[in-house]
Amino acid sequence: MKAVALTRYLPIDDPSALIDVELPAPVIGAWDLLVRVEAVSVNPVDTKLRAPKPGVEPAPRVLGFDAAGTVQAVGAAVTGFAPGDAVYYSGDVTRPGSNAELQAVDARLVAHAPRTLGAGQAAAWPLVTLTAWELLFQRMPYDSERGGQGRCLLVIGGAGGVGSVAIQLARRAGFTVIATASRAETVDWCRAMGAHQVIDHREPLAPQLAALGHAHVDAAINLADTDAYWTPLGEILAPQGHLGLIVEPKDALRIGDPYKAKCIGIHWEFMFARPRFRTPDMAEQGRILARVAALIDAGELKDIHRETLSPINAANLREAHRRLESGRTIGKLTLAGW
């Protein structure tokens, strides 16, 4: 099968950072699906795993997590899927990735793809959807249907992939949603996703929130820079508020006032935790994706896909990584077709 892989960890401008290879087709286990991958997308985790560092892989390493495709075969323990089904998923950080024509993936992490989306659109959703849903509704103590009623949520980094989904899910749950963005196009994107208000993350947050009538916010999710916003968020979060984080800090954080004084809940999200540790509830990821597919098909969620590159090959994946590393992407970029 065709695949895109790496053997060395190089800057993305190096043509050898990602290379086209031919690999044997995967062999599936009892809980697996064999999926013919039709589209993928790139997320920050891809660029972090590929980032320059010492070492050479003894065999080509295939990255990639988000995928949409068609089931080719099912393992003996699998129920609910059959060859020919259109599916979407984000996979498992401990297994070979989706940047290949064929992928073996645990069926418990998979859902039937939204009927109203093509593969190039569907591949935009899984990782950011799981991250936003788990963070808001499973790590943080809010119900997905009405948990935000009477509450205000601040989203740091609203125009990225996770932010694009989080804004929509939070508004649907009843939150007043304030997002941060700094460029005209990202401000417009946040508003299109459903943010009630948008403030500039390059400027102090508290005065901007006060001007909107919010002395404090009940909850915040920091999707950008844990260190930079640690102190400002501690100051603007209400007593007994909640903070959600997805980016590991560069420096050890001092957990103290005002977080301790206010009894602020701190919640970490890493959507690969369930598959990585084979948790008893790992099938929850398939259920979340199924629920979101239904919301997409019902017209309750807006498309987060911005552009598709074709075909899926090393040159286009290097371009996708380069754009993501620029820090200026909006929504999600996908790749489709071999």
Side-chain angles (χ1 to χ4, degrees), residues 308-324:
T308 298
L309 303 179
S310 185
I312 305 170
N313 61 20
N316 280 332
L317 273 165
R318 289 196 301 271
E319 172 63 13
H321 278 235
R322 185 192 65 78
R323 293 192 197 181
L324 204 60

Side-chain angles (χ1 to χ4, degrees), residues 77 103 116 128 139 141 153 155 171-173 236-237 265 268 271 283 285 294 300 338:
Q103 184 181 14
T116 54
V128 294
R139 313 303 176 215
L153 172 73
V155 179
R171 178 154 182 164
R172 185 179 176 277
I236 63 178
L237 278 162
W268 286 101
M271 57 78 48
Q285 294 205 330
E300 294 192 40
W338 291 92

Side-chain angles (χ1 to χ4, degrees), residues 166-226:
I167 289 170
Q168 298 188 64
L169 293 177
R171 178 154 182 164
R172 185 179 176 277
F175 283 97
T176 295
V177 181
I178 302 172
T180 74
S182 61
R183 294 177 281 141
E185 57 266 38
T186 54
V187 170
D188 290 345
W189 178 263
C190 289
R191 293 188 184 278
M193 292 297 101
H196 294 89
Q197 301 287 344
V198 183
I199 61 176
D200 189 343
H201 50 242
R202 295 179 180 174
E203 302 295 332
L205 301 178
Q208 296 180 80
L209 290 169
L212 297 175
H214 297 280
H216 297 94
V217 296
D218 301 287
I221 55 174
N222 183 354
L223 310 176
D225 187 329
T226 297

Side-chain angles (χ1 to χ4, degrees), residues 49-82:
L49 290 174
R50 194 225 74 249
K53 55 181 174 284
V56 177
E57 293 292 337
R61 181 183 182 185
V62 178
L63 301 179
F65 300 101
D66 281 334
T70 303
V71 175
Q72 302 296 293
V74 300
V78 172
T79 60
F81 295 99

